[in-house]
């Protein structure tokens, strides 16, 4: 394996970690949006607030890391991605800003109407970002991003595969979030909310399964070579992903906190690596390989070294944050 291959693996690892942590955050925003009116939705929204507040900003660390590593290590591919997929990536960034600003503002707004409006904007941002990131990934998988020049800025992400992958990202986030909220309700002995989110986890899981099949069908029609690679190389990962997420639903219903998070992470990771393994050794299928698109050798080595430093510095801090959150040690004071 070359240094450039190692950097490419790091990129897929960053995507995996961001998917495992960030998708659940976006899913929580979806359930917040769909919780209903102020009175009917107050209890699920309160649980979502309690679960999300301590950790929601931390998950974007991996998105920043992903962007920095990509433009430093693979500048040519980064430029092509940003030029062709400018619209969905800009909308994804807008969604992140809407989420962040309104999640913070809705707690401090003096009027109930302003708090409700902020909640809506928070929910809309939670829909916009995962869909657009998924649609951008669909554009890459269907070879609509050229290695030179600028691809079509509309059809590159508004095509059947991109729409299916974008909706699949939404469904996965909704499923993960609802499963985690079942655990939160179980931990707080909130029986009604436990049933409330278990029903939604089942619905989101079923939707995700249908959308996964739809994404494969669309991919077969859009880009046959990539579809064949998924079927030939990555089918074991697809199986692991489906079984992992099914196990997550069953364990969440039993209130098994530790096992649920492990199976959820394994399921999401397997699905992300389904794409990574199928696309290797291309940065941009099927035009630009990792070797041809990599920057200088010394740059790749420094990126590998800084990845180790980042793991040693950021990893323990994030693990401590998640551990304290699970122990309920990060809530706001009542007084």
């Amino acid at each position: 394996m070359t240094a450039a291959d190692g950097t490419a693996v790091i990129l897929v690892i960053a995507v995996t970690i961001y998917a495992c942590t960030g998708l659940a955050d976006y899913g929580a925003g979806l359930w917040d949006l769909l919780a209903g009116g102020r009175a009917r939705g107050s209890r699920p929204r309160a649980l979502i607030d309690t679960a999300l507040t301590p950790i929601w900003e931390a998950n974007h660390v991996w998105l920043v890391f992903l962007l920095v590593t990509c433009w430093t290590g693979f500048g040519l591919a980064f430029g092509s991605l940003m030029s062709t997929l400018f619209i969905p990536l800009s909308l994804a960034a807008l969604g992140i800003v809407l989420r962040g600003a309104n999640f913070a503002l809705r707690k401090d707004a003096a009027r109930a109407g302003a708090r409700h409006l902020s909640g809506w904007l928070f929910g809309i941002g939670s829909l916009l970002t995962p869909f657009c990131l998924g649609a951008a990934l669909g554009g890459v998988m269907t070879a609509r991003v050229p290695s030179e020049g600028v691809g079509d800025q509309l059809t590159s992400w508004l095509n059947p595969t991109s729409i299916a992958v974008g909706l699949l990202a939404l469904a996965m986030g909704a499923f993960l979030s609802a499963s985690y909220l079942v655990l939160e309700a179980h931990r707080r002995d909130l029986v009604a909310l436990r049933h409330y989110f278990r029903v939604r986890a089942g619905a989101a899981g079923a939707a995700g399964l249908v959308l996964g099949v739809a994404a494969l069908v669309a991919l077969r029609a859009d880009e046959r070579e990539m579809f064949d690679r998924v079927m030939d190389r990555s089918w074991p990962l697809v199986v692991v992903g489906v079984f992992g997420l099914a196990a997550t639903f069953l364990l969440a219903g039993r209130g098994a906190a530790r096992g649920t998070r492990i199976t959820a992470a394994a399921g999401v990771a397997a699905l992300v690596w389904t794409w990574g393994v199928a696309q290797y050794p291309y940065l941009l299928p099927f035009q630009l390989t990792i070797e041809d698109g990599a920057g200088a050798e010394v740059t790749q080595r420094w990126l590998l070294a800084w990845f180790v430093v980042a793991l040693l510095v950021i990893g323990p801090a994030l693990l401590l944050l998640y551990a304290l959150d699970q122990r309920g040690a990060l809530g706001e004071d009542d007084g």
Side-chain angles (χ1 to χ4, degrees), residues 105-233:
L105 288 175
R106 73 173 180 175
K107 293 183 178 178
D108 297 325
R111 297 179 182 277
R115 289 196 296 273
H116 197 63
L117 176 61
S118 291
W120 267 90
L121 293 174
F122 166 66
I124 291 171
S126 300
L127 291 176
L128 197 59
T129 300
F131 174 78
C132 289
L133 292 177
L137 176 60
V140 174
M141 293 177 68
T142 52
R144 286 183 163 90
V145 180
S147 59
E148 295 181 1
V150 180
D152 191 301
Q153 293 183 330
L154 288 179
T155 60
S156 60
W157 65 287
L158 289 177
N159 59 75
T161 302
S162 289
I163 292 172
V165 174
L167 292 175
L168 177 60
L170 275 175
M172 285 179 61
F175 170 77
L176 290 174
S177 175
S179 298
Y180 293 160
L181 287 166
V182 169
L183 295 179
E184 292 295 330
H186 178 79
R187 187 156 64 103
R188 291 169 171 78
D189 200 22
L190 302 172
V191 177
L193 285 179
R194 181 180 170 184
H195 176 71
Y196 175 95
F197 282 112
R198 186 161 53 188
V199 170
R200 281 151 182 77
L209 192 60
V210 172
L211 288 166
V213 173
L216 285 174
V217 171
L219 181 62
R220 188 178 187 277
D222 271 350
E223 179 48 65
R224 184 60 186 264
E225 184 172 351
M226 180 62 82
F227 173 81
D228 289 342
R229 283 168 170 257
V230 170
M231 292 294 101
D232 293 342
R233 297 181 178 184

Side-chain angles (χ1 to χ4, degrees), residues 210-288:
V210 172
L211 288 166
V213 173
L216 285 174
V217 171
L219 181 62
R220 188 178 187 277
D222 271 350
E223 179 48 65
R224 184 60 186 264
E225 184 172 351
M226 180 62 82
F227 173 81
D228 289 342
R229 283 168 170 257
V230 170
M231 292 294 101
D232 293 342
R233 297 181 178 184
S234 304
W235 67 266
L237 291 168
V238 175
V239 174
V240 170
V242 171
F243 275 98
L245 295 179
T248 299
F249 178 71
L250 295 175
L251 290 171
R254 297 176 182 175
R258 182 174 299 176
T260 300
R261 295 180 190 282
I262 292 173
T263 54
V268 173
L271 294 180
V272 171
W273 281 83
T274 295
W275 155 67
V277 169
Q279 186 167 307
Y280 182 82
Y282 290 98
L283 285 173
L284 298 175
F286 295 93
Q287 308 166 59
L288 184 67

Side-chain angles (χ1 to χ4, degrees), residues 55 187 316-330:
I55 57 173
R187 187 156 64 103
L318 289 177
L319 289 176
L320 177 61
L321 174 67
Y322 295 140
L324 291 175
D325 178 56
Q326 288 306 300
R327 293 175 186 173
L330 298 177

